[in-house]
Amino acid sequence: MPLVDDATTVERAPARPLTAKRFRPFEALAENIIFAASTVSILGVFLIFVFVAREALPLLTSRQIQEEVTLSTLFTTRMWQPVGVEPKYSVIPLVIGTLKVTIVAILFATPLAIGGAIYTAEFAPRKVRELVKPVIEILAGFPSVVLGFIALMVLATFLQKITGVQSRLNAFVGGIAVGLAITPVIFTVVEDALTAIPKAFREASLALGATKAQTALSVVVPAAAPGIAAAIILGIGRGIGETMIVLMATGNAAIISWNPFDSTRTMAATIGQEMAEVVFGDAHYTVLFFIGVMLFAITFALNLTSHAFVRRITRKLGSLK
Amino acid sequence: MSDSIEMMSEEEQVGSRVNGPARPETLLNIERVRVPDDGRPIDRPVKLASKHLSLWYGPKQALSDVSLEIRNYEITALIGPSGCGKSTFLRAFNRMNDLIPNVRITGQVLLDGEDVYGRRVDVVELRRRVGMVFQKPNPFPKSVFENVAYAPRLSGVKNMGRLTEIVEKALERAALFEEVKDVLHKSALALSGGQQQRLCIARALAAEPEVLLMDEPCSALDPISTLRIEELMRELAKSICIVIVTHNMQQAARVSDRTGFFLLGELIEFGSTDDIFTRPADSRTEDYITGRFG
Ligand SMILES: Nc1ncnc2c1ncn2[C@@H]1O[C@H](COP(=O)(O)OP(=O)(O)O)[C@@H](O)[C@H]1O
Ligand SMILES: [Mg+2]
């Protein structure tokens, strides 16, 4: 009974009709600005791709250029020798060089970054974590020309002393330096993936009598696996696109060889090195842009895959957050 | 004359007990489901005890001088308003508070008379003997089977046949086997909330614990799932010792043998559940269970 009394005596503002939608100027403005910003950035990326692709297009359409180089000769011949009486354009040595450097870089960076991230996220005392994380994030923004310089001057000499190889600058040296550059990238993404794993999993595991290490390895890391995969893929993408370091540290010889201790040349370094010297619109110019399209497509695909993995982790853990 | 009046009043009392709210001697209108002879051992030795236990989170004191004894083959409920230290007290038994920085503890916690904070105690072994179920169901993002096999695997069981045996037995004990036997190798996260919580119970049981600590195990569940878990607890109490934290007084009254009432980090009153809910000694207990605060 008293409930009814209350309901009748309580003063209420008269109800507004549901359809009286209020105009909220700031919200509308913020929404529009955000929309405009994201549209511009997506459009920007799209336009860059269109531009690069357009410059590469004569490879498929221009008779004149096809006399020198075609899509199929790019992949079937074996020499990259764009300057000379009879220029030779084969991307094979460049693809192999890119692969070699990236493989060395990933093999070097992945264990380092993942191990470091697991330590930081799961074992380090809070003070250490609060120090290590920002420092490594700053390292991710370290100018790669400086890393390249260090690789060129210090690392190359050091590694040559150890391995006794002939060419001081080679895929291995470049790979290690690129690895150093992508370690912070992988570290950051892995660390984020690990810390995103709900505390409830760790508690459950510890309460079952697992040690911290067992908890990290059999619960946290598997739960974060998609994030770790995403990090590695992102790292590969960065490694493939890295230009300055490889330009400085790999010796830049476009030769077909799977030996990591031979000098080598990557796709990105080739563009970086030769783009400034080409004649606008000639075959060499077109081929360089075609390599650009390849790089763009590869990194785009890698990023998409990486995103798919990240989405998977959010879906997997969505119900528990 | 006087005889007949007394008889009358007794009849009235019986009548009011059936009819509900007006009975003078009970504070909560709850039917106790348990029958006294439910097959549990009559002799119920002390399993867990705390002696003058105090605990601080940094400068903040969360438990003050708590002493109480918890018996085997019984369900002991800990009740009290939010933030009064129930979870903290529960987590002292399997040393889960160790994980929080700046926690300081004085006093003793005994498992079968042994101090669990003793210098040479192996926390891993302690936690195998004292299992825990959390407020929110927290199955690992693994298959149903792998969830339950987790603890046995940790203790070195590798043989697949043996593992399967342990897993099935634990699921049976948690009254879950029938429901999940066809999805053993599917993700545990696909189960319903109530099933997930029973899976967590099965996962704890697979370690063959002697004690099961349950921290508000039903607060995220619907009433039907809650009842199932309560039934399950009564079944389990035949073989192990159960301590449950709950903010649901009906639940404490329905399911437990003994109840402790906490307020601001102190144990205000501890006794048989019947006593606590029908004739509490402390007025603060009475205020709480009749809903006057908290
Ligand atoms: N990790 C922690 N750090 C600091 N204070 C905490 C922590 N956990 C709990 N507390 C404090 O200790 C008191 C008791 O908490 P808790 O045991 O969780 O209460 P309950 O389970 O009865 O709701 C609360 O005042 C709470 O704020
Ligand atoms: Mg609590």
Side-chain angles (χ1 to χ4, degrees), chain A residues 80 94 98 101 239-252 264-275 288 291 295:
Chain A
W80 178 265
L94 311 182
T98 307
V101 171
I240 289 177
E242 177 54 54
T243 308
M244 202 33 122
I245 293 175
V246 286
L247 209 54
M248 295 170 81
T250 57
N252 278 321
T264 200
R265 158 94 66 107
T266 71
M267 293 158 67
T270 305
I271 300 178
Q273 175 120 326
E274 298 171 10
M275 189 55 91
L288 288 183
I291 295 172
L295 280 176

Side-chain angles (χ1 to χ4, degrees), chain A residues 4 6 38 62 97 128 165 183 185 222-223 240 253 284 308:
Chain A
V4 178
D6 279 354
S38 44
S62 155
V128 174
V165 289
T183 297
V185 176
I240 289 177
H284 190 190

Side-chain angles (χ1 to χ4, degrees), chain B residues 71-106:
Chain B
R71 289 173 185 276
N72 212 352
Y73 314 120
E74 283 194 356
I75 300 176
T76 302
L78 307 175
I79 61 169
S82 256
C84 68
K86 306 178 298 288
S87 299
T88 303
F89 184 64
L90 196 71
R91 294 160 65 97
F93 288 115
N94 63 347
R95 292 186 53 171
M96 286 299 277
N97 292 322
D98 290 15
L99 306 171
I100 301 163
N102 304 322
V103 167
R104 191 161 65 83
I105 297 173
T106 63

Side-chain angles (χ1 to χ4, degrees), chain A residues 126 199-212 214-219 222-223 316-317 319-321, chain B residues 91 94 96 99 101 124 127-128 130-132 134 136-142 147 150-151 154 189 196 203-204 207:
Chain A
R126 209 169 59 206
K199 209 174 104 208
F201 291 156
R202 297 184 180 84
E203 283 202 316
S205 169
L206 293 167
L208 286 165
T211 61
K212 258 188 165 180
Q214 287 168 330
T215 301
L217 293 182
S218 37
V219 175
K316 198 161 146 194
L317 303 175
S319 61
L320 287 135
K321 279 220 214 152
Chain B
R91 294 160 65 97
N94 63 347
M96 286 299 277
L99 306 171
V124 166
R127 291 183 186 150
R128 285 192 189 153
V130 182
M132 187 165 218
F134 297 82
K136 215 168 153 198
N138 57 358
F140 300 131
K142 299 173 186 280
N147 265 277
Y150 189 75
L154 286 179
L189 301 185
Q196 287 190 6
R203 183 176 64 184

Side-chain angles (χ1 to χ4, degrees), chain B:
Chain B
M1 272 300 273
S2 73
D3 264 356
S4 73
I5 287 169
E6 267 184 35
M7 274 184 64
M8 274 289 286
S9 71
E10 216 177 277
E11 257 180 39
E12 263 177 31
Q13 268 187 14
V14 172
S16 68
R17 188 167 293 158
V18 175
N19 288 333
R23 61 194 159 157
E25 83 280 30
T26 53
L27 299 168
L28 270 180
N29 178 22
I30 284 155
E31 292 299 319
R32 301 261 297 151
V33 191
R34 189 200 306 285
V35 280
D37 177 27
D38 57 2
R40 293 187 296 165
I42 308 292
D43 174 34
R44 298 177 189 161
V46 172
K47 185 74 188 174
L48 284 173
S50 76
K51 293 215 163 110
H52 304 292
L53 183 70
S54 296
L55 186 148
W56 289 261
Y57 291 110
K60 184 173 182 299
Q61 185 160 14
L63 292 174
S64 321
D65 196 31
V66 178
S67 298
L68 88 84
E69 290 185 335
I70 290 166
R71 289 173 185 276
N72 212 352
Y73 314 120
E74 283 194 356
I75 300 176
T76 302
L78 307 175
I79 61 169
S82 256
C84 68
K86 306 178 298 288
S87 299
T88 303
F89 184 64
L90 196 71
R91 294 160 65 97
F93 288 115
N94 63 347
R95 292 186 53 171
M96 286 299 277
N97 292 322
D98 290 15
L99 306 171
I100 301 163
N102 304 322
V103 167
R104 191 161 65 83
I105 297 173
T106 63
Q108 280 186 311
V109 176
L110 307 175
L111 171 65
D112 287 335
E114 253 187 297
D115 188 356
V116 307
Y117 286 92
R119 191 163 294 190
R120 302 182 54 190
V121 167
D122 179 8
V123 181
V124 166
E125 186 54 32
L126 170 70
R127 291 183 186 150
R128 285 192 189 153
R129 288 174 60 187
V130 182
M132 187 165 218
V133 174
F134 297 82
Q135 183 165 355
K136 215 168 153 198
N138 57 358
F140 300 131
K142 299 173 186 280
S143 71
V144 171
F145 183 94
E146 283 306 322
N147 265 277
V148 185
Y150 189 75
R153 275 194 204 279
L154 286 179
S155 43
V157 182
K158 290 204 181 70
N159 180 298
M160 211 44 204
R162 178 88 191 94
L163 268 181
T164 310
E165 210 174 287
I166 296 175
V167 168
E168 288 183 359
K169 184 174 155 225
L171 286 169
E172 296 269 12
R173 281 181 82 193
L176 187 62
F177 185 66
E178 281 306 312
E179 288 162 63
V180 299
K181 61 175 193 245
D182 298 326
V183 292
L184 281 182
H185 298 284
K186 300 258 163 68
S187 168
L189 301 185
L191 301 180
S192 75
Q195 289 174 329
Q196 287 190 6
Q197 193 63 304
R198 273 179 285 142
L199 178 65
C200 292
I201 294 174
R203 183 176 64 184
L205 291 176
E208 296 278 347
E210 300 157 26
V211 179
L212 194 56
L213 308 172
M214 308 179 89
D215 193 348
E216 303 195 22
C218 304
S219 65
L221 305 184
D222 62 87
I224 306 270
S225 307
T226 300
L227 281 180
R228 294 209 61 172
I229 295 211
E230 288 176 9
E231 269 165 33
L232 171 61
M233 288 170 64
R234 283 191 292 273
E235 193 56 37
L236 289 173
K238 290 177 186 171
S239 52
I240 58 174
C241 166
I242 295 182
V243 189
I244 177 176
V245 164
T246 174
H247 58 213
N248 176 339
M249 281 168 296
Q250 274 80 4
Q251 181 168 64
R254 274 196 304 262
V255 82
S256 70
D257 300 283
R258 280 171 225 266
T259 299
F261 171 59
F262 282 79
L263 193 59
L264 298 171
E266 277 180 70
L267 179 65
I268 302 296
E269 191 170 350
F270 182 62
S272 86
T273 300
D274 285 327
D275 285 345
I276 296 283
F277 282 97
T278 53
R279 25 186 187 276
D282 196 292
S283 64
R284 288 169 292 180
T285 314
E286 182 172 338
D287 286 348
Y288 181 68
I289 60 182
T290 53
R292 249 165 282 179
F293 71 88

